[in-house]
Amino acid sequence: AQKVTQAQTEISVVEKEDVTLDCVYETRDTTYYLFWYKQPPSGELVFLIRRNSFDEQNEISGRYSWNFQKSTSSFNFTITASQVVDSAVYFCALSEESNTGKLIFGQGTTLQVKP
Amino acid sequence: ETGVTQTPRHLVMGMTNKKSLKCEQHLGHNAMYWYKQSAKKPLELMFVYNFKEQTENNSVPSRFSPECPNSSHLFLHLHTLQPEDSALYLCASSQLSPDSYRNTIYFGEGSWLTVV
């Protein structure tokens, strides 16, 4: 069965702190795709990153970085030097080779960055 | 500006009303989706359209009726809804291709629906 777990429901940090959002997934497919989306209060889901299961290279984009560990089925997201504008709900999601049109989402982590 | 636009952004309707949500994508994609986000459940897929044909109906009640007249437009027709149907309805699109690693799903801003 496919499943995405974001165990952290809410995280609160002070501006400039680093914060890591955890994501653990379950899938039977050998080829799959992992995503992170950001949802600000306006509601739109903003695409942040896509990672293919055959590419375990970690990625950094500005203050954002992602750590993909196939051995532990985790795809964690770190924000360095957090800012108030980072406050949002963050979703981790999975799609499988057998059905790439369907995203399976975690419950989401609400991040609050205080000034 | 988002490549997927949804109207209306907010909708309040009675249980006996009939209304429609509209979605348009400007990304040249061939697949469109409806997702539902309610307070007590994770985001869940409702419908998938691939080249205007419905390829997935995720056990959605018949009071929700999708329509996809072309690959750029998607509607969700609503009738005799229940208060528990109040949620954020998100439209999305992607380019489904044999190179499935290219398939990233892009979302609109959503339509906030309240059923009274």
Side-chain angles (χ1 to χ4, degrees):
Chain A
Q2 325 96 324
K3 187 179 178 182
V4 176
T5 302
Q6 294 179 254
Q8 304 149 310
T9 306
E10 292 183 22
I11 300 176
S12 182
V13 299
V14 177
E15 208 169 19
K16 297 185 183 177
E17 283 185 19
D18 298 347
V19 58
T20 296
L21 310 181
D22 298 332
C23 174
V24 174
Y25 61 91
E26 295 175 30
T27 177
R28 291 179 184 162
D29 277 23
T30 55
T31 301
Y32 51 90
Y33 310 92
L34 297 164
F35 303 81
W36 276 96
Y37 287 87
K38 174 182 180 180
Q39 188 177 43
S42 61
E44 180 187 2
L45 277 171
V46 179
F47 167 73
L48 296 179
I49 190 172
R50 170 200 179 97
R51 177 58 69 219
N52 307 327
S53 58
F54 46 83
D55 178 7
E56 288 194 67
Q57 190 172 13
N58 291 325
E59 184 157 336
I60 297 175
S61 175
R63 296 184 298 106
Y64 295 170
S65 62
W66 290 269
N67 184 356
F68 177 32
Q69 297 266 348
K70 232 174 169 178
S71 58
T72 56
S73 298
S74 65
F75 186 42
N76 296 338
F77 172 29
T78 297
I79 302 175
T80 303
S82 59
Q83 300 176 1
V84 173
V85 293
D86 295 327
S87 298
V89 183
Y90 290 86
F91 291 94
C92 180
L94 163 76
S95 72
E96 297 172 319
E97 176 74 12
S98 53
N99 191 352
T100 56
K102 180 176 182 177
L103 280 172
I104 298 145
F105 283 89
Q107 293 274 21
T109 297
T110 300
L111 174 64
Q112 184 182 30
V113 181
K114 299 177 181 176
Chain B
E1 183 183 329
T2 178
V4 180
T5 55
Q6 291 185 238
T7 54
R9 294 295 321 282
H10 299 270
L11 177 63
V12 179
M13 59 185 289
M15 288 188 285
T16 57
N17 291 159
K18 288 185 180 180
K19 296 286 184 183
S20 296
L21 305 181
K22 179 184 175 183
C23 176
E24 183 174 359
Q25 59 98 358
H26 314 276
L27 300 169
H29 289 162
N30 58 15
M32 296 188 76
Y33 312 80
W34 281 114
Y35 277 80
K36 176 182 178 182
Q37 185 178 22
S38 53
K40 298 182 179 179
K41 289 185 178 180
L43 276 150
E44 52 184 344
L45 178 67
M46 299 175 74
F47 301 104
V48 179
Y49 276 84
N50 186 355
F51 289 106
K52 302 186 300 177
E53 294 203 4
Q54 189 179 125
T55 57
E56 181 146 356
N57 176 337
N58 203 24
S59 303
V60 181
S62 58
R63 57 185 184 271
F64 295 92
S65 174
E67 178 190 359
C68 189
N70 54 62
S71 57
S72 298
H73 294 85
L74 184 64
F75 296 89
L76 188 62
H77 303 300
L78 315 168
H79 62 98
T80 57
L81 294 192
Q82 310 292 318
E84 57 264 30
D85 295 322
S86 299
L88 176 65
Y89 290 86
L90 287 154
C91 176
S93 72
S94 72
Q95 181 65 22
L96 290 177
S97 69
D99 299 324
S100 53
Y101 67 92
R102 296 175 184 271
N103 181 28
T104 294
I105 297 178
Y106 294 92
F107 287 83
E109 291 180 301
S111 294
W112 294 91
L113 173 67
T114 302
V115 182
V116 297

